[in-house]
Amino acid sequence: VQLQAFGGGLVQAGGDLKLSCAASGNIFRRPMAWFRQAPGKEREFVAAFRWTDGEQYYSDSARGRFTISRDSSQNMVFLRMNNLKPEDTALYYCAADLLASSYTIPRYKFWGQGTLVTVSS
């Protein structure tokens, strides 16, 4: 499985962006997640999606503003980000196939290359 994240860019505070993660290979029934990493900071959990029942998980900072979704027919996962804030500025990664006990732990078997989101104030 290879993952490719795209859709990042420069947006003003309060704006919206939609990130996409395209997977080559079968990701059906593999847990999928988005993480982000700001300069000088550790990689942090943003959102996760469980294929089996559609359950979604969000970080406190993402809940209510971000929405994770998927298109199984195209092997893609999305992250819709609304009302962006300067503190959302980071490199965003998609990940698949959880290796840890919790979706929030950045231990996944497959990672995309990251797409940069910059939010200006």
Side-chain angles (χ1 to χ4, degrees):
V1 174
Q2 290 186 327
L3 304 177
Q4 183 176 7
F6 56 95
L10 175 64
V11 63
Q12 289 188 333
D16 306 328
L17 275 177
K18 183 177 181 180
L19 305 183
S20 301
C21 178
S24 60
N26 187 6
I27 59 170
F28 184 64
R29 301 182 73 86
R30 299 175 190 262
M32 298 288 296
W34 286 94
F35 285 77
R36 67 186 183 187
Q37 189 165 15
K41 295 188 177 181
E42 294 185 349
R43 191 166 298 190
E44 67 171 350
F45 171 75
V46 176
F49 180 91
R50 191 165 64 189
W51 289 97
T52 52
D53 58 7
E55 189 73 23
Q56 302 169 19
Y57 306 87
Y58 296 96
S59 66
D60 289 342
S61 62
R63 190 174 296 111
R65 297 188 299 128
F66 296 1
T67 303
I68 188 170
S69 62
R70 56 88 167 102
D71 183 336
S72 55
S73 66
Q74 298 189 43
N75 256 9
M76 295 188 69
V77 176
F78 308 98
L79 184 69
R80 178 70 179 178
M81 304 185 294
N82 295 330
N83 190 23
L84 283 161
K85 304 175 181 180
E87 52 264 42
D88 294 319
T89 295
L91 199 58
Y92 283 71
Y93 297 90
C94 57
D97 218 357
L98 180 65
L99 297 174
S101 58
S102 169
Y103 292 100
T104 65
I105 298 174
R107 286 191 63 216
Y108 285 72
K109 188 172 183 179
F110 306 105
W111 289 89
Q113 82 287 3
T115 183
L116 181 63
V117 173
T118 304
V119 185
S120 62
S121 57

